[in-house]
Amino acid sequence: QVQLAVSGGGLVQPGGSLRLSCAASGSIASASIGDMGWHRQAPGEQRELVAAIRSDGSTNYADSVKGRFTISRDNARNTVYLQMNSLKSEDTAVYYCNVDNRWGARYWGQGTQVTVSS
């Protein structure tokens, strides 16, 4: 059993910033964690990849967030972060973190609401 604890969501004005955190615990060892990442889903839309970070630290971002969002990880704490700057209304969505093991399994966080509104 793996649990992902998510924090950092909330309401912010356009142009503001939020930092999301997602910590994995339970029946997963730090050495077994592979990729980590963030997806989001807006109402009526499909879930989309926002950012991903691999074990070697390499990253990928959706074009819509490049230059504004930064993904990072703390392997010692089994935690992945998403720093979101210059937030736009279009960023409003439920954000989900994921932690993958090295054998193809993906674990999802519960989701946290990010609302960007004036």
Side-chain angles (χ1 to χ4, degrees), residues 1-109:
Q1 187 174 338
V2 176
Q3 299 86 37
L4 303 185
V6 184
S7 64
L11 175 66
V12 66
Q13 293 183 350
S17 298
L18 286 173
R19 185 185 186 229
L20 306 182
S21 300
C22 176
S25 63
S27 58
I28 186 168
S30 297
S32 298
I33 295 176
D35 300 345
M36 308 174 83
W38 294 91
H39 292 69
R40 67 186 181 188
Q41 187 168 23
E45 300 184 5
Q46 294 185 335
R47 186 175 299 187
E48 65 172 349
L49 174 70
V50 176
I53 184 166
R54 307 192 75 175
S55 298
D56 63 3
S58 61
T59 58
N60 288 301
Y61 296 93
D63 288 341
S64 59
V65 307
K66 286 181 179 177
R68 300 188 298 120
F69 291 10
T70 303
I71 188 171
S72 61
R73 63 192 288 165
D74 185 338
N75 293 329
R77 294 175 169 82
N78 298 337
T79 301
V80 60
Y81 305 94
L82 185 68
Q83 178 67 46
M84 304 184 293
N85 298 327
S86 302
L87 283 162
K88 306 175 180 179
S89 297
E90 303 93 281
D91 297 317
T92 296
V94 177
Y95 284 71
Y96 300 87
C97 63
N98 72 273
V99 174
D100 303 344
N101 70 16
R102 297 180 183 272
W103 296 272
R106 173 163 289 180
Y107 304 96
W108 291 98

